[in-house]
Amino acid sequence: MLEAIDLSLVNWSRAQFALTAMYHWLFVPLTLGLTMIIAIMETLYVKTGNVEWKRITKFWMVLFGINFAIGVATGIILEFEFGTNWSNYSWFVGDIFGAPLAIEGIFAFFMESTFIAVMFFGWNKVSKKVHLLSTWLTAIGANLSALWILVANAWMQNPVGMQFNPETARNEMVSFWEVLFSPTAIYKFLHTTSSGFVLASIFVIGISAWFILKKRNLVFARKSILVAAIFGLVSSVYVAFTGDSSARDIAQQQPMKFAAFEGLYNGSEGAGLIALGVFSTSDADPTNQNLLDFNMKLEIPNVLSYMAYMDWNAFVPGINDLINGNEKYGYLSADEKIERGKAAIIKLKEYKDAKNSGDGQLADQLKTEFMDPDFQENYFNYFGYGYITDKNLLIPSVPLSFYSFHIMVGLGFYFIVFFILAFLYTIRGKLEKKKGFLRLAVWTIPLAYIASQAGWIVAEVGRQPWVIQDLMPTVAAVTKISTSAVQVTFWLFAAIFTLLLIAELKIMLRQIKIGPKMDGGQH
């Protein structure tokens, strides 16, 4: 059905989008969290009148501004790629996917970009309270931008609140509120934004630790660490709770992703959670992931069942159950889903042919059959499977999903301990003496970025081959353009994004070395 599609085009288009998304995500979490920390610091300044808090606020505001500017540049390119590289996807779901993106641009981004001007240039031009309000509105606007982007992404993971229109071959929104408030969207927003708060807190603590190691701006550093440690500790605990809820939602809506990031091949009742594991692929057929096995693993009995279904003895399907089917627990085989998907595609084609030939009576009959609730539930819900040529393509990269998930989770627990130590050392006045911890704080900054990127690898690699879960595989979403054009833009973007990243790091390091400036302003 997709014989004309060049798989190299699909792979290069995916690579380009992944490149842009991962570079963009280097900047976004810091923006989400640092705006909140800056707003808290400025609130302390307004409440106490202590000018040291204004000095602290201004320093972190400069670093935020550098990061924000480059993040916007990569984000704009990312949105354009939906039209240039994924036009079939944009046509298929544009009526739904475009709505949250439009709201993000018109409402959240405009709000953020308007008040950011007051935040940067309004010192001594507006009152303290108006400036503080502008800072908070900038922080809220940044996180509202994330909300709408994540709602759009969540819909791709769990398409709800829509109905397929066979006349236009497009999905149309029937319930905006169902799209906005789906559990997938709520958990994704809460988990992603709070992870940004964690990253920004580590960023602030790490840089402040550098100042203490250099014996510079000690009061500034201690105050910054205290705020970031408290904010980071609350956020890191919250990340753990939202991650647990998100994993439970994934187990129900995307069981293949859940099985992949847990390395679960054969389902069972009372399934154990693999806390640590190393895959052995020496005897595996690289074309068949069903043969992968663990060389070493540490498993906690029954915990995976509880994580997925709040039941210590619940059955959790594995990859083989989802591919081969499990009649006892009601899981269809991949072959059956593929056949049902093909039946839905054929029915749609028959309707379009009847309509184009002018046979209105037959077209109306076929449309009625297509829109019948039973047909929608039992056939259209597997529409995307009709494009799958090999059921093994339904298995995402298990090692990449597994390792990314466990790296993310392991670092998440480390961050909780890190924030506790930062808080205790600060309030007890022992920071200057803890040279090892201060050096560790500096090196924890890249670990926060690794955890953040690992989270998105789990979310996006784990749902492959779907661009829209069960409805559209990636291979059907790509724009039919020349592969060479995508290759050229891939390397062009790689060069530009790398230069932008280098420029940001150089500018940030220069500002950090300069340090916080003495402020002689009226506020």
Side-chain angles (χ1 to χ4, degrees), residues 424-488:
L424 292 177
Y425 290 155
T426 304
I427 62 172
R428 293 175 180 176
K430 296 182 178 180
L431 266 176
E432 286 88 342
K433 299 177 182 178
K434 301 294 182 178
K435 302 295 184 183
F437 177 79
L438 294 172
R439 294 188 185 95
L440 178 66
V442 175
W443 286 105
T444 299
I445 295 176
L447 294 181
Y449 282 94
I450 290 171
S452 184
Q453 292 287 342
W456 273 110
I457 291 173
V458 171
E460 301 306 304
V461 172
R463 69 178 165 115
Q464 288 301 315
W466 303 111
V467 66
I468 310 166
Q469 185 68 37
D470 295 343
L471 295 182
M472 177 176 260
T474 309
V475 70
V478 72
T479 303
K480 293 182 180 179
I481 54 179
S482 69
T483 304
S484 59
V486 181
Q487 290 172 327
V488 169

Side-chain angles (χ1 to χ4, degrees), residues 292-517:
L292 292 176
D293 198 3
F294 285 100
N295 187 42
M296 178 277 290
K297 67 178 179 180
L298 174 62
E299 186 172 340
I300 308 173
N302 297 85
V303 173
L304 190 63
S305 289
Y306 187 81
M307 177 193 292
Y309 299 107
M310 302 292 285
D311 181 349
W312 295 102
N313 297 307
F315 176 80
V316 181
I319 291 170
N320 292 327
D321 299 287
L322 298 169
I323 292 297
N324 302 319
N326 188 314
E327 187 175 347
K328 179 181 178 181
Y329 293 98
Y331 291 98
L332 293 176
S333 69
D335 289 331
E336 177 64 23
K337 292 179 180 179
I338 289 171
E339 290 304 312
R340 294 190 182 197
K342 288 180 179 178
I345 292 172
I346 290 170
K347 181 77 72 175
L348 177 63
K349 185 178 184 302
E350 288 174 347
Y351 163 73
K352 299 295 287 185
D353 290 342
K355 186 178 178 182
N356 292 335
S357 67
D359 191 340
Q361 183 176 357
L362 178 59
D364 290 342
Q365 177 188 335
L366 290 168
K367 182 180 179 181
T368 300
E369 293 175 1
F370 189 88
M371 298 305 295
D372 180 84
D374 287 338
F375 186 85
Q376 290 282 304
E377 180 179 355
N378 294 312
Y379 291 90
F380 178 74
N381 283 349
Y382 304 105
F383 187 84
Y385 285 88
Y387 295 100
I388 301 297
T389 56
D390 179 359
K391 65 182 182 182
N392 286 317
L393 296 174
L394 296 169
I395 306 173
S397 173
V398 177
L400 184 56
S401 299
F402 177 87
Y403 289 131
S404 297
F405 177 75
H406 285 75
I407 287 170
M408 175 188 69
V409 172
L411 287 174
F413 283 110
Y414 159 68
F415 295 152
I416 293 175
V417 176
F418 173 80
F419 288 127
I420 292 173
L421 292 176
F423 174 72
L424 292 177
Y425 290 155
T426 304
I427 62 172
R428 293 175 180 176
K430 296 182 178 180
L431 266 176
E432 286 88 342
K433 299 177 182 178
K434 301 294 182 178
K435 302 295 184 183
F437 177 79
L438 294 172
R439 294 188 185 95
L440 178 66
V442 175
W443 286 105
T444 299
I445 295 176
L447 294 181
Y449 282 94
I450 290 171
S452 184
Q453 292 287 342
W456 273 110
I457 291 173
V458 171
E460 301 306 304
V461 172
R463 69 178 165 115
Q464 288 301 315
W466 303 111
V467 66
I468 310 166
Q469 185 68 37
D470 295 343
L471 295 182
M472 177 176 260
T474 309
V475 70
V478 72
T479 303
K480 293 182 180 179
I481 54 179
S482 69
T483 304
S484 59
V486 181
Q487 290 172 327
V488 169
T489 52
F490 173 89
W491 293 113
L492 180 63
F493 288 162
I496 293 173
F497 295 156
T498 302
L499 289 173
L500 285 173
L501 179 60
I502 293 171
E504 181 192 30
L505 290 174
K506 291 186 68 174
I507 296 170
M508 273 199 172
L509 289 173
R510 186 182 302 122
Q511 290 300 318
I512 292 168
K513 288 178 181 178
I514 292 172
K517 300 177 181 177

